[in-house]
Amino acid sequence: MNALTVVRAGALTTVQDLGRPGHAHLGVGLSGALDRPAHLLANRLVGNPAECATLETTVNGVAVRPDRAVTVAVTGTPCPVRVDGRPVAWGAPVRVPAGAVLDVGAAVGGLRAYVAFGGGVAVEPVLGSRSRDLLSGLGPEPLADGAELPLGVPLGLSRGVDAAPWPAPPVDGLVLPVVLGPRDDWFTPDAPRALAAGAYRVSPASNRIGLRTEGPALVRAPSRDGELPSEGMVLGAVQVPPDGLPVVFLADHPTTGGYPVIGVVPGAALASAGQAVPGTPVRFVLVRA
Amino acid sequence: MTTPAVNVDTPAMELRALPVGRHALLVEVATGEDAQALHAELLRRRAAGALPPVREIVPAARTVLLDGLADPQALAADIAGWSVPPLAAAGGEPVVVPVRYDGADLAEVAELWGVAEEEVAGVHSGLEFRVAFCGFSPGFGYLTGLPKRLWVPRRATPRTTVPAGAVALAGPYTGVYPRSSPGGWQLIGRTDAVLWDTGRTPAALLSPGTRVRFEVVA
């Protein structure tokens, strides 16, 4: 019947694709793979179009058993990959026989692995996307042991690669460019410098909604002590709640919010934010729009 | 045909377009009503092909966010010259939401309004509302239309669970919880109407710009 059985769901494994654009005015966020380039690469390696759904794992991987032979590829964080206990390649197409167990092991250096299957994970789309949005609850439930996931029909042939260039996870430090605004005037004039000079670290409270930080608190301008009327929020927005600690909005962020956004991290820099383990040093670098 | 009629009796709406990152603009106006008028104007312009491609148009309390723009600076310059007509008196029938006015905070709301508990239903169902914007949860609309004397504060302590279909008040807004969730609004009633159903087109019963009436049911 062309399905995967979940043998080991892992800490948090979700189905993800390119997300659910065009519904923010209804309170539905973008969602989708946090490390988008890794999702795209995994799909390319197995011959899938970009929009096929992959599995996004967190920290300790996932194990699944396909009931038909399928080509898979694991990208994102480096990690051990095994088929029926035998080590196979990471970052390359691998053939998994029918009934064999594909085990994606613990993340090495990063957080999230992406597992593509020829034909994609073919759960029913919701508003045009198969992504699980952890904030709004849309899309398929996170994987559970014993669950079954349908597989799509492979469209293309995986051509294989000699080498897939891939950046290492941000082990030494996460560098996040920030374009100031729209609410940088809600902070003291010194706040942008404090943000850029501050020694921040990735907080363990980070998730698919936002990368939370620990470090020096940013100070509100004395004239701006009230609440900001709710306004639209973008991916990468650096929102500053009353505790003064910046939160970088990731794929499952709320569509509106009432805390001021001091700046925005351009989308291309967010893939590495999705791979930064708690405790990783974070440096914000002010850039021009 | 997209050129809006200039209303000489109304002062021009002040539009402030703030850049948001590299691909978005936050257009700020003075009032919630202006934000609704600007949102309607943006939808008109998009429908007429007079707006550059944009992924999201997200109205909110005093702003409209335009996200996914190729050249936000060019649009910001263009918007500065726009004349936005005031919100038109809407034609057509409003969406009617049937409500049992038996919410847990009915007594408190009645006291804040200075009416008897059984009069809340009549007052609330006698008003017409408009969905100013959505947020918080898919299909949760922030409905304006309460006169200022009927604005009530949020509860000091939010509830950990508010049931799906709860009809609630906070500040200038009325809202209906599409699904069970935590919530800090004052609950005045409950509806069986399905606010959000992804198996339905459209999924949201209440989307920005929709006019709404509440109807008392026993």
Side-chain angles (χ1 to χ4, degrees), chain B residues 13 49 89 101 163 174 203 210 214:
Chain B
M13 186 190 300
Y101 284 89
T174 289
T210 305
F214 295 94

Side-chain angles (χ1 to χ4, degrees), chain A residues 52-116:
Chain A
C52 274
T54 62
L55 298 181
E56 179 184 277
T57 72
T58 315
V59 182
N60 65 351
V62 70
V64 293
R65 186 172 54 234
D67 66 2
R68 67 158 162 87
V70 60
T71 302
V72 307
V74 180
T75 62
T77 179
C79 58
V81 184
R82 290 190 168 84
V83 174
D84 274 346
R86 195 168 49 87
V88 296
W90 176 94
V94 169
R95 194 72 178 162
V96 178
V101 173
L102 167 71
D103 190 286
V104 177
V108 179
L111 271 183
R112 296 176 169 98
Y114 292 81
V115 192

Side-chain angles (χ1 to χ4, degrees), chain B residues 3-212:
Chain B
T3 311
V6 175
N7 185 336
V8 290
D9 300 328
T10 314
M13 186 190 300
E14 227 176 282
L15 303 166
R16 192 167 159 245
L18 305 167
V20 179
R22 288 177 172 152
H23 297 289
L25 279 183
L26 188 68
V27 188
E28 190 172 36
V29 293
T31 67
E33 190 150 309
D34 283 357
Q36 294 187 41
L38 172 62
H39 178 241
E41 175 69 7
L42 284 161
L43 296 189
R44 269 195 299 274
R45 287 183 185 245
R46 180 160 73 174
L51 198 65
V54 54
R55 193 178 65 234
E56 313 277 0
I57 299 179
V58 189
R62 304 266 185 283
T63 56
V64 180
L65 174 73
L66 298 158
D67 193 10
L69 294 164
D71 188 352
Q73 288 178 354
L75 184 60
D78 190 36
I79 284 175
W82 285 11
S83 160
V84 177
L87 205 54
E93 288 302 308
V95 169
V96 176
V97 178
V99 181
R100 289 186 306 280
Y101 284 89
D102 58 0
D105 301 319
L106 201 62
E108 194 173 334
V109 168
E111 195 181 329
L112 288 162
W113 282 6
V115 301
E117 211 174 304
E118 54 274 17
E119 289 175 310
V120 170
V123 174
H124 191 254
S125 62
L127 298 164
E128 182 168 306
F129 297 86
R130 193 171 190 280
V131 183
F133 60 98
C134 292
F136 174 63
S137 172
F140 184 95
Y142 291 74
L143 279 56
T144 53
L146 284 175
K148 198 157 188 176
R149 65 190 157 78
L150 300 182
W151 296 6
V152 298
R154 284 162 198 259
R155 286 171 53 82
T157 311
R159 288 187 170 85
T160 50
T161 313
V162 170
V167 178
L169 307 177
Y173 302 115
T174 289
V176 187
Y177 286 81
R179 56 173 177 160
S180 175
S181 63
W185 291 27
Q186 311 256 16
L187 310 184
I188 58 171
R190 192 165 175 182
T191 181
D192 291 331
V194 177
L195 274 288
W196 178 256
D197 177 1
T198 55
R200 179 179 72 189
T201 305
L205 180 65
L206 309 180
S207 56
T210 305
R211 289 188 306 133
V212 184

Side-chain angles (χ1 to χ4, degrees), chain A residues 134-244:
Chain A
L134 294 178
L135 183 69
S136 73
L138 296 181
E141 292 289 332
L143 268 58
D145 290 351
E148 286 207 348
L149 298 171
L151 284 177
V153 178
L155 294 180
L157 284 174
S158 168
R159 297 207 179 117
V161 285
D162 296 325
W166 196 248
V171 180
D172 286 343
L174 176 63
V175 178
L176 295 177
V178 178
V179 179
L180 283 181
R183 300 297 179 190
D184 48 320
D185 61 348
W186 274 61
F187 299 88
T188 57
D190 185 52
R193 209 167 6 172
L195 178 69
Y200 290 94
R201 284 185 183 275
V202 175
S203 156
S206 300
N207 53 27
R208 282 185 45 86
I209 297 166
L211 179 100
R212 292 175 179 274
T213 63
E214 292 167 346
L218 301 177
V219 181
R220 282 265 192 104
S223 57
R224 305 282 200 180
D225 54 351
E227 205 175 318
L228 185 67
S230 258
E231 61 188 27
M233 292 283 144
V234 299
L235 182 67
V238 182
Q239 199 192 48
V240 184
D243 67 7

